[in-house]
Amino acid sequence: MKITKEPFGHFTEYVLTNPETGEALYILPEFGGMIRKMTLQKDGHLHHVIECGNTAEKLLAGMNAYPSAHLFPWGNRVRNGKYNFQNVDYQLAVNEIGLKNAIHGLVSFAPFEVIEETVNEVEAILTLRYSYYGGALGFPFPFVLEISHIFSSDEGLEINYSIKNTGTRDMPMVLGWHPYFKIEGEKADDWQIDFPATHQYSADSQMISVDKIPVNFSGIMDLKGKTLDAVFAMKTSSKIVSKLHSPKKNMSLNVWQEGMKGGFTFTVVYIPASRDCIAIEPMTGNTDAYNSGDGLLVLESGKTFEIACGVYIS
């Protein structure tokens, strides 16, 4: 395994590769720690399962979709950017203008620093850090977020998050990852999905979760002609796995998330209008959890929260 650095537009891209298989993970630390591209191997064939843009111009043109973004300290939306935490009212910057919400947190496009590079025969590890000092409108809670990427041929990608509350009071938080997956040469109508959801949430006019209904998507479901754009509550387990399957290529992309209580117990599944990819997004909280409390985590001063998710091919 090896780690190299290459220019990508104005950014420096770190590339974790397995020279023997051709598998590779491309990360932009200066641009939210985004995973721009990921290539995994099955039965001697390489599959580009994440690809956000072949050029910096194409990447930047698609940023309104938040491809591969890390969502913190809130995921999804906060209604009107307003919330009350421990009897204090706060107003976040509204950055989803049309729906009048605050969306996807503070770190999606923020510059991370590289604090560790490790390689050996079986894996490459790249760890990034973002330090926040409490200056953004409506979020006066300092923290340090570290994201460690472990990339190997046997296990694919594992992402470990570590969040430390460096302030003097409790901090509200929701964590999420916003990847769009694809199976090259195919579209959603070619795919099947299998994920252990227990409930699906409907959304109101601001795309905020309201009612929920029981569902069962465990077992193969064809995506031909189907649309998906919802938050799902997942069946609690130590390792929740959502499977995206290509019958034509006889391969499955497996997205896993640590899903015990207080972990990644929600998943957003979304097929965009282009139908050439699908978002499968691990989340610790529901949309507008800052107001509903549904999945909201509270991290005490000086404490650290750790959680993991990842992707592998089978």
Side-chain angles (χ1 to χ4, degrees), residues 5-202:
K5 292 187 287 186
E6 302 174 357
F8 186 78
H10 296 297
F11 305 114
T12 298
E13 187 165 67
Y14 284 68
V15 186
L16 288 59
T17 56
N18 183 332
E20 294 184 2
T21 65
E23 293 172 293
L25 181 70
Y26 299 75
I27 301 172
L28 294 168
E30 302 157 285
F31 198 52
M34 176 188 296
I35 296 172
R36 184 185 66 84
K37 185 175 179 179
M38 181 164 64
T39 302
L40 299 177
Q41 181 266 146
K42 180 179 184 291
D43 299 332
H45 298 284
L46 291 173
H47 300 275
H48 301 303
V49 298
I50 292 177
E51 195 163 12
C52 300
N54 288 324
T55 66
E57 291 75 18
K58 289 182 179 179
L59 177 70
L60 293 171
M63 283 305 96
N64 61 335
Y66 287 81
S68 288
H70 302 287
L71 313 181
F72 188 81
W74 61 91
N76 282 307
R77 297 166 171 90
V78 178
R79 187 188 298 278
N80 302 320
K82 297 179 179 181
Y83 69 101
N84 181 286
F85 180 66
Q86 295 183 346
N87 298 316
V88 178
D89 291 327
Y90 297 95
Q91 175 66 63
L92 300 167
V94 171
N95 59 337
E96 190 181 34
I97 305 303
L99 297 180
K100 301 179 181 179
N101 298 314
I103 190 169
H104 290 343
L106 301 172
V107 307
S108 296
F109 310 124
F112 283 71
E113 61 176 320
V114 175
I115 62 169
E116 181 186 359
E117 299 177 54
T118 302
V119 294
N120 55 43
E121 292 183 356
V122 297
E123 64 186 20
I125 303 172
L126 183 74
T127 303
L128 312 178
R129 176 185 292 157
Y130 177 75
S131 299
Y132 172 71
Y133 300 101
L137 177 68
F139 199 83
F141 307 99
F143 63 82
V144 172
L145 168 63
E146 293 185 1
I147 306 174
S148 182
H149 309 77
I150 304 172
F151 191 61
S152 69
S153 291
D154 291 337
E155 303 294 334
L157 170 65
E158 177 177 330
I159 302 175
N160 289 307
Y161 294 93
S162 175
I163 300 150
K164 183 174 183 179
N165 180 349
T166 55
T168 59
R169 49 186 164 168
D170 293 349
M171 179 180 77
M173 64 180 195
V174 174
L175 172 68
W177 182 39
H178 201 280
Y180 288 83
F181 297 103
K182 70 173 190 174
I183 298 173
E184 205 168 20
E186 298 185 0
K187 290 202 170 187
D189 290 333
D190 300 307
W191 302 333
Q192 299 170 333
I193 197 168
D194 173 3
F195 63 105
T198 61
H199 293 84
Q200 177 177 337
Y201 292 85
S202 60

